[in-house]
Amino acid sequence: MARVIVDVMPKPEILDPQGKAVTGALARLGFAGLSVRQGKRFEIEVEGDLTEERLDQIRHAAETILANTVIEAFDVRVDE
Amino acid sequence: MTARIGVVTFPGTLDDVDAVRAVRLSGAEPVALWHGSDDLSGVDAVILPGGFSYGDYLRCGAIARFSPVMDEVIRKANEGMPVLGICNGFQVLCEAHLLPGALIRNDRRTFICRDQRLRVESRDTVWTCDFVDGDEIVIALKNGEGNYQADAETIARLEGENQVIFRYLDGNPNGSVNDIAGITNARGNVVGLMPHPEHNVDPLAGASIDGLRIFSGVQRFLSAVTA
């Protein structure tokens, strides 16, 4: 079965409090010089053939619900 | 005629009972509405109350926004029906694009729960018409993701068109742009705010009764349009 990955990240200009918290924790643990932004990864199993039309549907789904494009950017790709 | 004001319950809603009580104390008839029904029971106005609908999964309000009741709420809001979103309800209204912008995690990463002073910036909405511009009020604030964000163009429009209706006083609690605590749409019938006016309707159980004027305001508006 084909698998599609949707990555959702907070836009660069939007504050990422979770990423900041993780960055702080890493520094405290001695992992110096690492700056984190935290997003989400969706793994989508697709029934049937993964046509360009099907991919467009998934892009539409990502824009409709998986990401809020006011604050987030998303990327859709096929997991080879 | 007594106004009938609907209060929607989603899975994970917490403050629906308080909102129902506030509606009753303000003299209107509360009507319980269910997220899974697309029937608004002919109400005159709708409140989306606070809480953690769908456990805040995905994003706050993101899943509630697609519940059956919301199709009808969106349709009626676009026809001019008064809609109020409190806290999680505000997040749902933003996810539904009835209001611009989005609410993200508080910049200081803590849950806030306190009596919050606010300034009323605009009485020019169907919910805030019982205030006077510049009124300073105290309303309970309790949220983890109340940090209002929108792009610069949207903020400029909100400020320019008098659509910022409540602003935080005594310091910004959560990182919201321009200390914004509540906004309205261009038409003034859809209002969203992070503070909880339904918790400030009874002198025995709140720091003020300033919240009552939101619930009385919409009744004044409704009686004016039906008169």
Side-chain angles (χ1 to χ4, degrees):
Chain A
M1 196 177 277
R3 176 186 283 190
V4 174
I5 307 295
V6 179
D7 287 315
V8 176
M9 288 297 293
K11 286 183 176 173
E13 68 272 23
I14 299 286
L15 177 74
D16 173 21
Q18 291 188 107
K20 266 175 73 174
V22 175
T23 298
L26 286 172
R28 283 194 300 280
L29 289 170
F31 297 102
L34 302 179
S35 181
V36 176
R37 288 183 72 76
Q38 182 180 328
K40 301 186 187 96
R41 169 187 163 110
F42 299 86
E43 297 182 352
I44 304 174
E45 304 285 338
V46 184
E47 282 177 32
D49 291 339
L50 188 59
T51 58
E52 193 52 40
E53 190 187 2
R54 204 86 165 102
L55 262 179
D56 274 343
Q57 278 177 359
I58 294 169
R59 288 189 193 99
H60 182 57
E63 192 173 4
T64 304
I65 181 165
L66 300 183
N68 178 346
T69 55
V70 174
I71 48 172
E72 295 168 324
F74 69 89
D75 178 57
V76 177
R77 63 192 158 83
V78 181
D79 189 25
E80 305 289 1
Chain B
M1 212 178 77
T2 309
R4 298 176 71 245
I5 301 180
V7 176
V8 177
T9 300
F10 299 101
T13 295
L14 298 181
D15 297 320
D16 45 347
V17 176
D18 291 58
V20 161
R21 179 169 172 270
V23 166
R24 190 184 311 114
L25 287 174
S26 68
E29 179 192 342
V31 178
L33 299 175
W34 184 239
H35 70 102
S37 167
D38 60 2
D39 180 10
L40 296 187
S41 302
V43 294
D44 303 303
V46 167
I47 296 172
L48 306 181
F52 300 86
S53 59
Y54 294 89
D56 279 351
Y57 292 172
L58 188 59
R59 292 177 306 279
C60 301
I63 298 178
R65 173 257 176 275
F66 289 103
S67 59
V69 76
M70 283 306 296
D71 289 343
E72 197 59 11
V73 169
I74 291 167
R75 193 177 71 77
K76 297 294 279 184
N78 286 327
E79 288 176 2
M81 188 177 74
V83 176
L84 176 70
I86 302 167
C87 195
N88 188 220
F90 185 11
Q91 294 161 342
V92 173
L93 290 177
C94 286
E95 284 284 341
H97 304 302
L98 284 172
L99 292 172
L103 293 138
I104 68 168
R105 204 166 294 256
N106 296 342
D107 60 353
R108 61 200 60 185
R109 311 196 293 259
T110 53
F111 192 94
I112 297 165
C113 184
R114 69 189 200 195
D115 297 316
Q116 175 68 46
R117 282 211 318 134
L118 305 170
R119 187 168 58 238
V120 180
E121 298 285 17
S122 171
R123 63 182 302 281
D124 194 16
T125 81
V126 305
W127 293 95
T128 57
C129 53
D130 265 356
F131 292 105
V132 174
D133 288 357
D135 269 352
E136 295 187 0
I137 61 176
V138 175
I139 300 284
L141 179 71
K142 45 165 202 173
N143 65 70
E145 305 201 20
N147 180 348
Y148 182 76
Q149 296 292 321
D151 60 43
E153 189 185 325
T154 303
I155 296 294
R157 193 180 70 244
L158 289 173
E159 295 284 359
E161 301 294 325
N162 218 20
Q163 287 175 244
V164 174
I165 54 168
F166 295 109
R167 225 184 284 274
Y168 298 115
L169 294 175
D170 307 329
N172 187 323
N174 51 24
S176 287
V177 177
N178 292 10
D179 305 334
I180 289 172
I183 59 171
T184 187
N185 62 346
R187 192 166 175 170
N189 67 305
V190 179
V191 165
L193 77 167
M194 285 316 292
H196 287 259
E198 79 281 16
H199 294 333
N200 290 89
V201 294
D202 178 342
L204 283 176
S208 77
I209 55 166
D210 294 334
L212 267 183
R213 279 186 281 173
I214 300 236
F215 304 98
S216 62
V218 73
Q219 291 174 69
R220 195 146 72 89
F221 166 79
L222 288 168
S223 60
V225 291
T226 53

